[in-house]
Each structure stands twice: as structure tokens, then as C-alpha cells.
Amino acid sequence: MTARKAPSEPKIRDAERSRAAILVAARQEFARAGLGGARVERIAAQAEVDKKLVYYYFKDKDGLFSAALESVYAEIRSAQLYLDLQGMPPLKALRRLVEFTWDYYIAHPEFITLLNSENLHLARHLQGSQRIRELNSPLVQSLQDILERGQKEGLFRAGIDPVQLYITIAGCSYFYLSNIHTLSAGFNRDFKAPKQLTQRLAHITEVVSAFVLA
């Protein structure tokens, strides 16, 4: 019997490109229509691949949605690694993380819409994802390091849970941006205006700073 040859390098690269194109198209479709409204046919057409290839790589729409969620989490966590927070004084590092989170959410609105959709489905896709927990672990460790350095310098108070602190940092940005239209209508103020966005970031930064300072 003749041994089967290993896939050639060009075929591997083509497969990687096809999978990446599907994920990009899926993120756009899920962000626009949510999990329930998204259609695999539209995703395949946008990615310029046969629909069968979508099912080959991701099994079904839920599998594709899980992969899309993991990919957006991987991107934000990867971007956070380049902040060099460990090389900054603790208060500056904390404020930089607040600024980064805010700026990232604004630059990537699909991250918010995908999370909104997942919450509607009670996080059933993330619950089965070990990769999400692995992606979050370095962030928590980084924040714990910032807090410990600040405490050693007598700058930060003790007893701060890094997970709770990050939820506050993310939540202050997430709630404002995900509800920006209803907030604008309810308070008769254009919260999308550049001045309002600048003021909001300054507010979040000061709230978080005041919470950690001794």
C-alpha cells in the first residue's frame, strides 16, 4: 500500500486563508444579525467559499459562532499584551488599561454586539470554551501584578479583587457604548459626540483611580 502524502504547503495555506475568511465574514454577519438572524449562506458568500466548507471547518452555525467569539476575545487579549503594563508605574498602567479598553470598544463595535448576542443565549457557547478562560488568565495576572506593585509602594489599598476591578473597568465602558442610543434619547444629549466621549473616558479613569488609591 502506498503511503498517503502529507498535504502540500500551498494547500495548507489555502485552507488557513479560507478558514480566516469565513471567520471574518461570520463576525460581520453575527454582529449585524445576531446568532438567530445570521445565515450561513450569507457568510459563505461573503467569504467567497462553498457553504459546505463552512460546515467542514466549524460543523454548524453554533460552532462557527463559538469560533467567532473566541477570535474576538483572542484579538483584544493579544492587543493588551502589547501595552507593556509591567513596564509602567502602577497608577499609569491602570489608567492605560482603562484607556485601552475604552478605545478598543469604540474601534471594534462588533465585540460589543457579539457579546450582547451571547448574553441573550446565556453564554452557552463560552461556557464550553476552555480557550476563553486561558485567554483571560494572563489579563487577570497582569492586573494582579499592577495592584501588588501599587500596594508595595503604598499607593494602592489592599484587598482589591483583580477580576472585580476588571469587570468595573470593562463594564463602565461597555454599558455606555452598548446603550449609547437609549441613553442619548433618554437624557436628550448626544452621547456619541466627541466631547461627550472624551468626558466619559475621563470620568471612568477618575472613578477607577479613586477606587484603588489608598
Side-chain angles (χ1 to χ4, degrees), residues 98-143:
V98 173
E99 293 168 357
F100 167 84
T101 303
W102 172 260
D103 291 340
Y104 194 91
Y105 286 177
I106 289 178
H108 301 273
E110 74 280 2
F111 183 80
I112 290 177
T113 53
L114 285 170
L115 262 61
N116 286 344
S117 184
E118 177 65 348
N119 274 292
L120 287 175
H121 292 85
L122 306 180
R124 61 185 171 90
H125 302 87
L126 291 184
Q127 285 175 1
S129 174
Q130 178 62 30
R131 189 180 181 212
I132 293 297
R133 288 179 280 277
E134 293 171 351
L135 288 168
N136 283 339
S137 181
L139 170 66
V140 175
Q141 186 57 51
S142 177
L143 195 49

Side-chain angles (χ1 to χ4, degrees), residues 19-31:
R19 194 179 190 279
I22 292 169
L23 269 179
V24 170
R27 285 167 52 164
Q28 295 173 349
E29 175 72 3
F30 287 130

